[in-house]
Amino acid sequence: MTNSIEDLEEADCILAIGSNTTEGHPIVGLRIKRAVMRDDCKLIVAEPRHIRLCYYAQQWLRHRPGSDVALLNGMMNVILSEGLEDEEFIRERCEGFKEFKKVVEEYTPERAAEICGVEADDIRRAARTFATADSAAIVYAMGITQHTTGVDNVLSLANLAMLTGNLGKEGAGVNPLRGQNNVQGACDMGALPNVFTGYQPVTDAAVRDRFEHAWDVDYLPGNPGLTLMEMMDGAHKGDIDVLYIMGENPVISDPDVEHLKEALDKVDFLVVQDIFLTETARYADVVFPAASFAEKEGTFTNTDRRVQRVRKAIEPPGEARDDSWIIAQIASRLEYDMGDVSAPRVMDEIASLTPSYGGVSYARLEEGAITWPCPDAGHPGTPILHIEKFTKGKGLFSPVEYKPPAEMPDEEYPLILTTGRLLTHYHTGTMTRRVRELDELVPRNRVWVNPADAERLGVEEGQEVAVQSRRGAIKLEARVTEKVGEGVVFVPFHFGESPANALTNPALDPVAKIPEYKVAAVRILTGKSMAGIEYSISTI
Amino acid sequence: MEKIHMNIDGKDIETTSDRTILEAARENGLRIPSLCNEQRMEPYGACRICLVEVEGARGLLPACYTTVTDGMVVRTATDELMRIRRTILELILSDHPKDCMTCESTGNCELQDLAYEYGVKDHRFRGEEHHYEVLADNPLIERDYDKCILCGRCIRICREVQGVGVYDFVNRGFDSVPGIPYNKPMMESPCEFCGQCVSTCPTGAIISIPSKGKGRTWQVEKVRTTCPYCGCGCQLDLHVRDGEIVEVSSPVMVGPGQGNLCVKGRYGYPFVHHEDRLTRPLIRKGGELVPAGWEEALETVSKHLRKAMDGKGPDSIAFLSSARCTNEENYLLQKLARAVVGTNNVDHCARL
């Protein structure tokens, strides 16, 4: 997030797009609701499903899954044609405006409406609301990023924020909501194939020099490594001999499960380090029992870049050990001494090598959270980014053309499947489905079907149906609801016994390599046509 | 917002014009009792326990609802105020169970604390008493209206903070309770099971079922940490008794959540103690994963890593780090990949 969670309450307008905030990020959801209820903030929700946030919205734009660029270009077309842009901001702080403008001019509200299924006048109204607010914030989540056009979608949001001068000030910003407790931190720490900590590129020889020196090694590789999806493809081709997985469950979370399981089978040696024998761990050659969050010291960095303490409350069960110890043990057996791997000492090492974490220390964290960038011990942290100028100098407008999703519905697979989370469960269900009370609240998976589609298919509420895509099929219960539009079905991905990702499309965004979880073509089968479909992934 | 100079109980205080008397007093370490007030909500002025005397004002004023003015002189503990507070407490207790011995909230009950402080052991008001059925119509939240003092905190937090509004007062007069429309079970209401009502209830009227009977507030150690679920980063207090997490709460006005949690943050902790937790390393032998010692498991893994490094080379090895693990662990894993094995094949599920 460029701005803080608290800061959302300062916004005069919030555009929530591709974020089911009250379920995916409930506490951010509270801030948005409060901004609306207390301070008359105008909320625009752009979302194919009717989500709870729609009850608080001044306007709900039900655009077709995967049509975000068209919708946003349409809004920006209105802003430009009505002269609502922030000329000074564009002139002083941005570049690339001309090329961007040329593309946006092509997206009249009428043309955008045709692509995204939202009335042209509604696009106009949303554009005016957003552009005329004193401060307007954008909130988005995986509904924006998990597309083959994920990067295009994000660039379009950046365009919208720059066009209206909504960066570097209170109540504004481009605010991606990170889906997991420490996904921000994992990225910050360089758990990415192309960067060390603090996004320092592995291709930069000077950076490598610094790390080589600090880590006391002669050589660090300068070629970017493989992304997760590329690793799995590599495994498929037999290029990966050892795969070492710490605390992830790709068998449920990755698209096209069947492809992934074959990949895991082809890896010579699979190591999994986790707290449960997850669906992925069942494929392992060695499983290390790890400590849970309550059993170790450390830090998480949340979605608004806030570094906060994790404290040990209880002992790990049996012989389970914390991940740091396990990693250090492996390192020492490969003749590398990691030294003292206690959390405060490791944070000192991180701070010494990472400019944005330079001022983070356990002594300071005792006093409270620190929001990076925090370059030195005296720095207060930075809740709002890009004040006065962008970190990289000028903000770059990107001309973005609409591209359809990789797989569109056709006669054979006539429905669009979109996937997501429920409030009660979390990600692959490893944790929440083992909490009896939570599983009692939502015990099974359901596919949401629009009443018109249901009638046509002869599907009734509570009926067992199968959802099938070109990649797989699952059986589950139907929920007939207007919360999904006609031609769209929704399946949550928490349930190992009917995994949504048996259906999803592994087509990737060419830059970010993120799979298109939010759009796949499917069909619904009932009665005899379901025969033979039996999803049998090992369940918890 | 202007600077205000005022005096509370003889102490000169400087504050700002947006403060209530209650806030100004608390910020200066002066305690005025309250029941219906809570920092996460707007002032309400229902319970009258915070009545204070303001020089020149007609009648007594609720400290929670009265904003400060320059030159204000406030007295919070006159004999008359003490008498009135005792009477209010007596009135509340005249229709309140005396089961503190087994009540879930003992030690964490604002009514109990005030009865103790004001020495209210019994009451003068004999009459009708309510005996409602305890409502446990869902796995998480239990309601016992016998213990309700009608402060309206559950109603207001659900409406003002959670923006849902499951509760409202139903019935009139003596029979008023914070009910759910049509007395429906919670599972059929729009309730999100965040437990904000539990966290604000000043008595034992609304409690969490999973932590029932698991430990008194003085029997648990509270450990401050960060929620392991989504990216909001809410601050949690894990209540630990004898090595078991028995409850989770969130410190009020601290961190992104300000004391508010969602159903996962508040009730999603028992997985930690689940019998499925891995407790020993496992090694695949003859097709089966069988328990093994650490030494053997670590050796096996290092051997295979070494073999691949010396064989096809470091890039035949790939690491998946974790958005669930700590910063320090992620740092160490990428260091293992880069510095020890010699590959940049390290990623995690940021994209998933």
Side-chain angles (χ1 to χ4, degrees):
Chain A
M1 292 170 77
T2 60
N3 291 45
S4 69
I5 292 174
E6 288 89 334
D7 185 64
L8 284 171
E9 289 196 38
E10 307 300 322
D12 296 310
C13 172
I14 296 173
L15 169 64
I17 182 165
S19 161
N20 182 8
T21 324
T22 62
E23 301 203 51
H25 302 86
I27 293 302
V28 174
L30 292 194
R31 298 283 180 173
I32 297 176
K33 290 192 270 188
R34 291 245 289 204
V36 172
M37 294 189 298
R38 280 213 312 213
D39 303 320
D40 267 348
C41 165
K42 296 181 177 70
L43 173 64
I44 304 165
V45 174
E47 168 71 42
R49 281 192 297 148
H50 186 276
I51 54 175
R52 281 203 176 184
L53 220 44
C54 296
Y55 292 118
Y56 306 82
Q58 189 188 57
Q59 218 187 333
W60 169 38
L61 308 171
R62 173 177 261 176
H63 61 310
R64 292 195 185 101
S67 66
D68 304 82
V69 167
L71 173 67
L72 294 165
N73 275 352
M75 283 173 66
M76 292 189 281
N77 179 291
V78 175
I79 291 169
L80 282 170
S81 66
E82 299 189 5
L84 302 174
E85 72 272 25
D86 186 335
E87 278 174 30
E88 191 192 330
F89 190 91
I90 297 166
R91 194 175 54 240
E92 302 293 325
R93 300 195 45 182
C94 305
E95 58 193 3
F97 181 66
K98 250 202 209 147
E99 296 78 1
F100 153 79
K101 191 176 171 193
K102 233 169 83 186
V103 168
V104 166
E105 275 170 350
E106 304 294 314
Y107 288 82
T108 60
E110 281 70 22
R111 183 177 165 218
E114 217 166 277
I115 300 169
C116 70
V118 176
E119 297 284 328
D121 277 346
D122 290 335
I123 296 175
R124 285 195 181 89
R125 195 176 138 214
R128 288 173 196 142
T129 307
F130 189 89
T132 56
D134 286 340
S135 61
I138 296 167
V139 169
Y140 73 88
M142 295 314 224
I144 277 292
T145 54
Q146 288 176 340
H147 291 278
T148 44
T149 56
V151 169
D152 286 350
N153 292 347
V154 173
L155 290 174
S156 298
L157 291 173
N159 286 342
L160 177 62
M162 289 190 293
L163 184 67
T164 51
N166 275 306
L167 280 162
K169 65 178 190 185
E170 274 188 12
V174 177
N175 300 294
L177 305 179
R178 311 300 311 254
Q180 312 216 28
N181 55 337
N182 201 35
V183 65
Q184 184 66 54
C187 293
D188 298 347
M189 291 303 110
L192 292 170
N194 57 338
V195 289
F196 293 103
T197 62
Y199 310 95
Q200 304 173 80
V202 296
T203 48
D204 184 331
V207 169
R208 285 202 307 277
D209 256 5
R210 222 155 63 79
F211 277 85
E212 280 162 11
H213 183 75
W215 289 347
D216 196 20
V217 290
D218 301 333
Y219 165 80
L220 287 170
N223 57 314
L226 302 174
T227 63
L228 192 160
M229 300 302 296
E230 289 167 341
M231 287 175 194
M232 297 308 163
D233 287 343
H236 235 267
K237 283 187 247 154
D239 294 344
I240 301 295
D241 286 350
V242 182
L243 180 59
Y244 191 119
I245 302 178
M246 171 172 85
E248 302 240 323
N249 188 12
V251 168
I252 301 294
S253 63
D254 287 20
D256 196 356
V257 173
E258 292 305 324
H259 177 83
L260 184 101
K261 288 198 290 190
E262 285 166 29
L264 292 184
D265 273 338
K266 284 191 182 163
V267 169
D268 282 349
F269 194 73
L270 175 65
V271 186
V272 173
Q273 189 166 310
D274 213 308
I275 63 172
F276 291 113
L277 192 65
T278 60
E279 290 82 352
T280 305
R282 289 170 201 275
Y283 287 82
D285 296 289
V286 171
V287 180
F288 290 134
S292 78
F293 84 107
E295 296 148 6
K296 60 193 178 190
E297 303 288 340
T299 53
F300 291 151
T301 304
N302 82 339
T303 188
D304 68 6
R305 298 170 280 109
R306 211 180 299 220
V307 185
Q308 301 186 111
R309 276 299 312 275
V310 173
R311 291 188 181 84
K312 181 172 178 168
I314 53 174
E315 290 298 326
E319 295 173 28
R321 301 296 297 255
D322 61 72
D323 297 286
S324 297
W325 181 86
I326 303 171
I327 296 165
Q329 285 292 319
I330 296 287
S332 78
R333 282 168 165 77
L334 296 173
E335 285 144 37
Y336 184 91
D337 181 9
M338 284 195 168
D340 173 10
V341 290
S342 69
R345 214 285 306 160
V346 174
M347 181 51 82
D348 289 345
E349 184 176 324
I350 294 166
S352 72
L353 286 164
T354 316
S356 53
Y357 277 68
V360 178
S361 69
Y362 273 56
R364 254 186 93 176
L365 287 168
E366 282 306 306
E367 313 286 309
I370 302 170
T371 302
W372 71 258
C374 175
D376 56 66
H379 193 283
T382 315
I384 301 181
L385 292 178
H386 312 306
I387 291 179
E388 282 169 16
K389 75 180 195 52
F390 289 106
T391 318
K392 290 184 173 166
K394 294 259 184 185
L396 178 65
F397 277 104
S398 319
V400 182
E401 293 277 6
Y402 163 76
K403 295 182 205 80
E407 188 180 61
M408 290 294 266
D410 53 22
E411 262 180 35
E412 215 182 335
Y413 295 92
L415 300 165
I416 294 181
L417 165 76
T418 190
T419 64
R421 283 184 181 166
L422 301 174
L423 172 64
T424 312
H425 285 298
Y426 186 76
H427 223 62
T428 65
T430 308
M431 291 151 64
T432 51
R433 296 209 66 208
R434 284 190 174 86
V435 178
R436 187 175 48 81
E437 294 83 359
L438 299 185
D439 209 44
E440 226 171 283
L441 290 181
V442 182
R444 62 187 168 277
N445 205 1
R446 296 196 294 175
V447 51
W448 301 18
V449 187
N450 182 275
D453 292 324
E455 201 184 320
R456 202 172 42 250
L457 294 161
V459 169
E460 282 174 24
E461 173 80 19
Q463 182 181 335
E464 191 181 47
V465 299
V467 182
Q468 189 174 42
S469 76
R470 289 187 172 83
R471 293 154 294 277
I474 57 173
K475 267 188 188 170
L476 71 179
E477 200 180 291
R479 175 184 179 195
V480 179
T481 171
E482 283 173 353
K483 288 185 185 296
V484 286
E486 216 177 320
V488 178
V489 296
F490 169 74
V491 180
F493 69 99
H494 311 296
F495 301 85
E497 65 275 25
S498 51
N501 288 325
L503 309 170
T504 46
N505 188 355
L508 302 183
D509 179 280
V511 182
K513 315 283 184 191
I514 195 168
E516 190 146 64
Y517 287 118
K518 300 303 185 194
V519 189
V522 296
R523 62 186 172 201
I524 287 186
L525 306 176
T526 55
K528 281 186 189 149
S529 60
M530 288 198 288
I533 294 171
E534 199 60 69
Y535 204 84
S536 63
I537 197 164
S538 44
T539 58
I540 54 169
Chain B
M1 209 164 54
E2 298 154 40
K3 245 187 208 159
I4 297 283
H5 293 89
M6 63 183 298
N7 183 292
I8 302 179
D9 291 339
K11 185 176 175 183
D12 286 325
I13 282 173
E14 195 185 291
T15 181
T16 49
S17 59
D18 60 336
R19 295 287 193 270
T20 63
I21 296 174
L22 187 68
E23 286 165 346
R26 284 190 180 159
E27 282 165 15
N28 285 277
L30 299 166
R31 205 165 50 77
I32 300 173
S34 72
L35 278 172
C36 70
N37 190 267
E38 212 244 82
Q39 282 167 291
R40 288 177 286 177
M41 291 166 256
E42 296 298 320
Y44 190 54
C47 72
R48 315 315 270 187
I49 205 89
C50 71
L51 287 179
V52 292
E53 200 179 287
V54 176
E55 243 174 48
R58 273 204 312 182
L60 302 169
L61 298 175
C64 72
Y65 213 86
T66 310
T67 40
V68 296
T69 54
D70 204 40
M72 194 180 241
V73 177
V74 180
R75 276 180 285 276
T76 73
T78 64
D79 287 348
E80 192 197 4
L81 288 171
M82 300 305 267
R83 187 179 56 74
I84 289 171
R85 284 186 198 141
R86 266 194 288 273
T87 305
I88 292 170
L89 290 169
E90 278 184 88
L91 283 164
I92 294 173
L93 291 172
S94 73
D95 184 23
H96 194 94
K98 316 288 182 292
D99 66 345
C100 297
M101 203 91 85
T102 51
C103 178
E104 187 56 32
S105 293
T106 283
N108 190 25
C109 172
E110 295 174 32
L111 179 63
Q112 188 184 45
D113 289 348
L114 287 178
Y116 165 76
E117 185 180 344
Y118 286 82
V120 182
K121 194 174 174 183
D122 205 353
H123 59 85
R124 292 166 284 163
F125 309 106
R126 302 292 154 199
E128 206 181 326
E129 288 178 17
H130 283 115
H131 293 287
Y132 293 103
E133 196 185 330
V134 174
L135 298 169
D137 52 20
N138 68 86
L140 293 170
I141 297 171
E142 181 180 292
R143 290 171 289 157
D144 182 354
Y145 290 141
D146 285 357
K147 295 176 182 172
C148 176
I149 61 167
L150 304 178
C151 64
R153 276 160 66 167
C154 54
I155 297 173
R156 288 179 289 132
I157 204 159
C158 194
R159 189 184 297 158
E160 289 176 30
V161 175
Q162 195 64 18
V164 173
V166 164
Y167 302 108
D168 205 342
F169 283 118
V170 299
N171 304 329
R172 292 283 182 94
F174 185 63
D175 291 328
S176 286
V177 285
I180 288 177
Y182 310 108
N183 287 324
K184 276 191 174 174
M186 269 183 152
M187 297 281 272
E188 291 169 32
S189 78
C191 177
E192 296 175 351
F193 295 96
C194 61
Q196 253 70 279
C197 54
V198 174
S199 76
T200 195
C201 179
T203 70
I206 307 181
I207 60 163
S208 289
I209 295 171
S211 49
K212 244 176 107 172
K214 294 275 183 72
R216 294 290 189 202
T217 180
W218 58 84
Q219 291 172 318
V220 299
E221 186 201 351
K222 290 185 189 172
V223 181
R224 178 75 44 89
T225 192
T226 303
C227 181
Y229 284 103
C230 78
C232 292
C234 299
Q235 294 299 287
L236 304 182
D237 282 337
L238 305 181
H239 301 210
V240 179
R241 186 181 184 195
D242 302 332
E244 189 194 352
I245 302 170
V246 294
E247 191 176 1
V248 166
S249 62
S250 182
V252 172
M253 307 317 277
V254 175
Q258 302 279 286
N260 304 305
L261 293 174
C262 74
V263 62
K264 296 183 287 283
R266 194 179 303 280
Y267 297 113
Y269 57 88
F271 76 88
V272 167
H273 300 297
H274 197 280
E275 58 181 14
D276 289 351
R277 279 292 300 275
L278 291 169
T279 56
R280 296 186 64 187
L282 305 172
I283 298 182
R284 190 170 296 278
K285 287 179 182 163
E288 294 287 307
L289 281 170
V290 294
W294 271 107
E295 191 53 39
E296 189 189 353
L298 290 165
E299 269 307 316
T300 309
V301 170
S302 327
K303 217 176 62 203
H304 277 87
L305 286 170
R306 174 59 70 195
K307 201 175 107 195
M309 284 159 74
D310 295 344
K312 267 194 231 167
D315 284 342
S316 67
I317 299 170
F319 292 85
L320 273 187
S321 198
S322 178
R324 319 292 294 137
C325 291
T326 64
N327 285 325
E328 291 77 4
E329 290 159 348
N330 274 287
Y331 173 80
L332 292 174
L333 193 76
Q334 60 95 35
K335 185 174 175 180
L336 175 68
R338 294 184 163 122
V340 184
V341 172
T343 179
N344 282 315
N345 289 342
V346 54
D347 198 9
H348 69 286
C349 71
R351 298 169 179 87
L352 308 181

